[in-house]
Amino acid sequence: MKHELERGTLSRVIAVINGKGGVFKTSLVANIGGLLAEAGSRVLLVDLDPQGNLAEDLGYSDQGDGGRSLAAALCFGAEPTLLTSIRPNLDVIAGGPELDDAAAFLGAKAQKDRDAAHLALAKMLAAVAGEYDLVLLDCPPGNEPLQAAAVAAARYALVPLKTDMSSRKGVAAVAARMDSVVGLNPSLDLLGVVLVGTGTNSKQVHKVTRDHLIADFGTDEVLFPMTIRHAEATAQACRERGLLAHELERELSKAPKWWEVLRGEAKATNAGPKSASSVAEDLHAVAMEVTRRVAATESQEVSA
């Protein structure tokens, strides 16, 4: 059965995806989305993960529905509920445990009509994505039906990667997932790979990872020139406070200095990790690189 889909509104949908968990996917979605929204872009974030951790990163846990609305949209074509103005210019479609049922439904549907199952998210997004400058998909690890739906809907895939072997295998799984939907989504492209949770001085480790990417893709141009440093304290502080890294940095900059507290000129506060500034800087650089690569691709397409 052939399924027609107008993809014009999907030209700026980015699936943030890796076959392995714990590689900063949700943090990237939240922070890239938040930074670009603050810069004036209209951004939609779609939480496809049954864990629903995007709610913690953005501090909207009390507004979510556990993924019920998104699950109904994927399974039955219902209109999804938008959580609007989570930040200025930033809207969200919430995820959560209800998506486990949606994944099972799509898996069963794929046995009868594979294309329809894979295009469920694309059809939903085609109706709403035109209202936004960018749509970011927070993809779950190891969930074939939801990952397939994500790459079938996306124009680009962005792959966060740690330097360990299992994370590199996750990249290979993403490549296989992309290949599986190329007939439905021939415009799908790899936006890039960004190293996360790594030290800036780990040059030998970075070289090994770069060599593996060259072996997998024939070039290292897929690798973003910047990395996101490992900073567990900042990640924990952001999630506990429902703040993005640049928001945490801004909050900490307003905290009183130690000598002001010592002199009795201010009250002591629970300041936060010193690494917040470095992590915020890294994420800002990644957000700008995402914008640059999308703009470069669009410029090439106009010139062609």
Side-chain angles (χ1 to χ4, degrees):
M1 184 183 300
K2 188 174 182 179
H3 297 272
E4 299 294 337
L5 177 67
E6 174 53 54
R7 287 191 170 271
T9 60
L10 302 177
S11 62
R12 288 188 174 178
V13 176
I14 301 175
V16 181
I17 185 171
N18 188 306
K20 182 180 181 297
V23 291
F24 288 54
K25 291 188 298 296
T26 299
S27 294
L28 277 177
V29 168
N31 283 276
I32 291 173
L35 284 163
L36 296 182
E38 189 170 277
S41 295
R42 286 272 294 145
V43 180
L44 174 65
L45 308 182
V46 183
D47 188 355
L48 288 166
D49 197 329
Q51 294 186 49
N53 288 334
L54 190 61
E56 296 176 8
D57 281 31
L58 289 167
Y60 65 84
S61 297
D62 59 337
Q63 300 179 52
D65 64 356
R68 186 180 305 108
S69 165
L70 179 53
L74 293 173
C75 296
F76 310 115
E79 186 175 338
T81 298
L82 296 175
L83 302 181
T84 58
S85 299
I86 295 300
R87 298 289 192 282
N89 297 317
L90 183 69
D91 297 344
V92 173
I93 299 178
E98 297 282 345
L99 290 172
D100 281 326
D101 291 338
F105 179 92
L106 292 177
K109 186 174 184 176
Q111 301 299 316
K112 299 179 180 179
D113 191 342
R114 175 180 174 275
D115 290 357
H118 286 178
L119 289 174
L121 179 62
K123 289 184 175 180
M124 182 199 85
L125 288 177
V128 299
E131 301 295 320
Y132 298 92
D133 299 305
L134 189 72
V135 179
L136 292 167
L137 311 179
D138 184 12
C139 301
N143 189 314
E144 193 279 334
L146 293 178
Q147 282 199 356
V151 291
R155 172 64 180 84
Y156 306 99
L158 174 62
V159 183
L161 173 66
K162 288 186 175 180
T163 55
D164 59 281
M165 180 64 74
S166 58
S167 290
R168 295 200 297 266
K169 289 180 179 178
V171 176
V174 171
R177 193 79 71 221
M178 292 172 68
D179 285 343
S180 73
V181 300
V182 70
L184 293 174
N185 188 9
S187 63
L188 177 64
D189 195 11
L190 179 63
L191 186 66
V193 175
V194 57
L195 285 178
V196 300
T198 183
T200 55
N201 295 321
S202 305
K203 294 181 180 179
Q204 182 57 36
V205 174
H206 293 176
K207 181 183 182 303
V208 171
T209 302
R210 189 181 296 274
D211 290 344
H212 278 283
L213 289 173
I214 292 173
D216 290 339
F217 296 101
T219 176
D220 64 355
E221 291 182 2
V222 297
L223 187 63
F224 275 33
M226 66 289 295
T227 63
I228 298 176
R229 281 166 271 198
H230 175 74
E232 188 64 33
T234 292
Q236 182 177 352
C238 284
R239 187 154 286 184
E240 286 177 350
R241 303 184 194 194
L243 294 175
L244 302 175
H246 67 281
E247 295 170 339
L248 178 63
E249 179 192 24
R250 191 178 301 148
E251 182 177 283
L252 297 182
S253 70
K254 299 175 183 177
K257 306 297 185 290
W258 66 268
W259 63 84
E260 294 174 328
V261 176
L262 184 63
R263 293 171 184 168
E265 297 170 359
K267 292 184 178 180
T269 61
N270 181 15
K274 295 179 180 179
S275 57
S277 178
S278 298
V279 174
E281 180 183 342
D282 293 346
L283 287 163
H284 180 268
V286 169
M288 294 305 97
E289 181 68 6
V290 166
T291 301
R292 187 194 70 78
R293 291 192 178 208
V294 170
T297 299
E298 292 178 349
S299 178
Q300 291 172 2
E301 291 173 348
V302 169
S303 301

